[in-house]
Amino acid sequence: MPDPNGFLRYERRLPARRPVPVRIMDWREVYPPAGEELIREQASRCMDCGIPFCHDGCPLGNRIPDWNDLVRTGDWDAAVASLHATNNFPEFTGRLCPAPCEAACVLGLGGQQPVTIKQVEVEIADAAVARGGLRPRPAPAPTGRSVAVVGSGPAGLAAAQQLARAGHTVTVYERDDAPGGLLRYGIPDFKLEKHHLDRRLAQLAAEGVLFRNGVNVGVDVTAAQLRAEHDAVLLACGALQGRDTPQTPGRALRGVHQAMEHLVAANRAVAAAAAGRPDTAAGDGRSAPAALPDGTPIDAAGQHVVIIGGGDTAADCLGVAHRQGAAGVHQLDLYPQPPTDRDAARDPWPTWPWLLRDYPAHEEGGERVFAVAVQEFVDDGTGRVRAVRIAEVTVEKRDGRRIVTALPGSERELPADLVLLAIGFDGTEEQPLLAQLGVTRNARGAVDARPDWQTDVDGVFVAGDMHRGASLVVWAIAEGRAAAAAVHAYLGGVGELPAPVDPARQPLAAR
């Protein structure tokens, strides 16, 4: 049984982050390993509640109280098995997920700090590697059925692994030069070092998953070819259509970019430097300046940077700008500064609360400015941005619409050599593949799924952000697992694969 007094004896603690002056000089992860003593102490805070609401916060159905107690008692092998029973990639979720499970922890109901579920998870995942590596689990016999997975982000990879372990021949098509999707080129290394991804990809390859990189399906391979070569197709192309602000004066100025352009370019520069490519590695061992595919610089070194947006993507851009050597950074948020404690009237436990969240990047520098909106990107006279003109604003909802009102006399300018738009995503990109398949996007830019995860086209399935819209890595993995179960059933596979969510499932929310 769990330690009934653990949460009384120990306070919530996380491992100390690497010192700011040290970590901004490299791209390594911010958090060092926690150490067994600390993580067993923290795991003992779990009460193994009669009704563990952390299960409701997590779409994967992770057995959180089970593996917490296994860590507490030192049974790491069983903890690894329990964690992998519901989560293909806990080393990703443990590093990247904002942990809605922790927001739903019963300790939060009693005014205590929640269990460090996410930290325990990542330590178990790392223990799996240390205690024998990620052993492949190839299928005992092939089924003779073939599946194409388009996209190699967390949803596509989770589905591919589930289907390969069930005996199907799985080919993952990725238009980039290496698999991983946003895990590789969207998430900075200081949050997820890429050796974690490469290690897991090696496991999938050993289990029989085939990767075809540099293949833009719909262009290099037609949908007709894909359907002729495979018995089922799963679309997991993500939601990469960045939200824009074309109506803002000066949007077309040079130096104003989508946030993902900056993150992808930075990740490519870091990857090239790590690979030792002399054409892209700086002489001091740091990555060379980031640039777009056409050579346009998009590096923050020596630049005044303005990041528009208050979420994860904006914080990632902030951390990248620090490591690139920005002269100064402002992060702008349309909304007022959130509270530091849960507002029970607005977000009752165990729902995900609206709170002021300080990411490690905020500790590293920069200035956050709340309740402001950009009125104009200011031209330097040569067609390049030199400043942004902002105004204080109020935001209210009327008839489901957001009304933003600028306060007269509140306008001012911020210097800006590089402006990054991190204001969300408008669904999956319009692409030839969709038209060739006869699949359409809905009003949100996503692709709808029937209850069996099929699109309106029989034999063509969809999962992850492409179906849900931009969401959390834990939802992508859950949808990938569930869609794999549906594909397996469609192909007449023996037995059932786990399906943690259905297409209509939504995050825990107050009604």
Side-chain angles (χ1 to χ4, degrees):
M1 65 174 290
D3 181 348
N5 299 311
F7 73 98
L8 296 173
R9 290 189 293 117
Y10 302 113
E11 295 183 351
R12 176 185 170 98
R13 285 200 302 143
L14 293 171
R17 297 166 179 167
R18 297 171 59 219
V20 169
V22 174
R23 71 181 191 237
I24 63 171
M25 298 301 295
D26 60 43
W27 295 89
R28 291 169 48 214
E29 291 178 8
V30 168
Y31 285 101
E36 185 169 338
E37 181 180 356
L38 172 60
I39 211 64
R40 289 179 68 173
E41 167 195 293
Q42 291 300 299
S44 73
R45 297 184 69 242
C46 179
M47 299 184 293
D48 192 10
C49 312
I51 302 177
F53 280 84
C54 54
H55 287 187
D56 295 285
C58 177
L60 277 169
N62 281 336
R63 303 168 181 173
I64 295 167
D66 291 0
W67 39 258
N68 269 330
D69 199 51
L70 290 167
V71 167
R72 180 186 71 86
T73 58
D75 194 345
W76 287 90
D77 289 336
V80 168
S82 179
L83 181 55
H84 276 110
T86 57
N87 188 349
N88 297 71
F89 313 125
E91 66 274 29
F92 303 161
T93 54
R95 287 174 167 83
L96 304 176
C97 183
C101 54
E102 293 188 13
C105 176
V106 170
L107 282 178
L109 180 62
Q112 298 277 338
Q113 289 294 308
V115 174
T116 58
I117 299 170
K118 176 176 169 177
Q119 190 66 45
V120 176
E121 178 181 31
V122 78
E123 296 297 334
I124 297 172
D126 290 349
V129 175
R131 300 174 75 84
L134 301 176
R135 300 185 185 91
R137 291 170 44 195
T143 64
R145 310 306 294 272
S146 174
V147 182
V149 176
V150 185
S152 65
L157 293 179
Q161 184 165 64
Q162 293 294 98
L163 290 166
R165 288 176 172 178
H168 306 298
T169 299
V170 181
T171 303
V172 176
Y173 294 83
E174 171 55 57
R175 66 182 177 182
D176 278 330
D177 57 352
L182 286 183
L183 295 172
R184 183 171 298 280
Y185 290 130
I187 303 296
D189 280 49
F190 57 80
K191 289 177 67 176
L192 177 73
E193 293 183 35
K194 298 307 178 279
H195 63 81
H196 299 294
L197 172 61
D198 292 334
R199 187 184 292 122
R200 189 62 76 169
L201 290 169
Q203 182 194 41
L204 267 71
E207 292 171 349
V209 176
L210 306 174
F211 291 95
R212 293 191 59 184
N213 303 318
V215 177
N216 188 355
V217 181
V219 178
D220 302 317
V221 174
T222 68
Q225 290 174 302
L226 202 69
R227 301 216 65 183
E229 295 175 10
H230 302 281
D231 299 303
V233 175
L234 173 61
L235 303 177
C237 304
L240 298 176
Q241 185 66 53
R243 192 167 294 150
D244 212 328
T245 177
Q247 75 283 357
T248 304
R251 169 60 183 91
L253 293 174
R254 298 191 307 278
V256 182
H257 299 277
Q258 287 284 346
M260 288 309 304
E261 293 179 314
H262 181 235
L263 293 175
V264 170
N267 272 287
R268 287 189 176 280
V270 171
R277 284 173 44 191
D279 57 326
T280 52
D284 60 0
R286 295 165 65 88
S287 57
L292 298 177
D294 64 2
T296 301
I298 191 170
D299 198 281
Q303 305 287 296
H304 293 283
V305 181
V306 172
I307 302 167
I308 303 174
D312 285 4
T313 302
D316 290 348
C317 289
L318 179 62
V320 168
H322 294 323
R323 284 156 182 78
Q324 289 178 335
V329 188
H330 286 89
Q331 182 185 346
L332 311 183
D333 197 321
L334 185 66
Y335 295 97
Q337 181 170 325
T340 55
D341 296 311
R342 182 195 292 268
D343 180 351
R346 173 191 169 108
D347 303 305
W349 177 90
T351 63
W352 180 251
W354 182 55
L355 295 173
L356 178 64
R357 290 183 167 83
D358 287 317
Y359 297 85
H362 294 122
E363 181 187 28
E364 296 164 0
E367 180 180 346
R368 301 170 83 175
V369 186
F370 294 93
V372 295
V374 175
Q375 307 299 295
E376 180 186 2
F377 302 107
V378 182
D379 196 333
D380 71 349
T382 70
R384 182 170 188 82
V385 69
R386 71 162 180 82
V388 295
R389 181 170 294 118
I390 64 173
E392 297 176 15
V393 298
T394 59
V395 183
E396 57 182 322
K397 292 285 185 69
R398 297 180 192 165
D399 301 324
R401 296 174 59 243
R402 186 178 67 185
I403 307 297
V404 181
T405 304
L407 301 180
S410 67
E411 289 193 359
R412 60 189 174 105
E413 285 189 5
L414 298 175
D417 306 303
L418 176 64
V419 178
L420 303 172
L421 305 179
I423 52 178
F425 298 88
D426 282 329
T428 197
E429 298 167 297
E430 189 63 73
Q431 52 189 295
L433 172 62
L434 298 182
Q436 292 174 17
L437 287 171
V439 172
T440 59
R441 300 189 305 165
N442 59 28
R444 299 181 297 106
V447 174
D448 289 327
R450 303 196 301 243
D452 62 357
W453 293 96
Q454 291 189 73
T455 65
D456 289 336
V457 181
D458 289 344
V460 178
F461 298 75
V462 66
D465 286 2
M466 192 173 190
H467 160 254
R468 175 169 292 276
S471 186
L472 308 181
V473 62
V474 70
W475 277 97
I477 296 173
E479 290 212 356
R481 287 171 66 89
V487 173
H488 180 67
Y490 172 82
L491 296 177
V494 176
E496 296 182 351
L497 297 182
V501 294
D502 61 62
R505 171 82 177 272
Q506 295 297 316
L508 191 65
R511 295 188 183 277

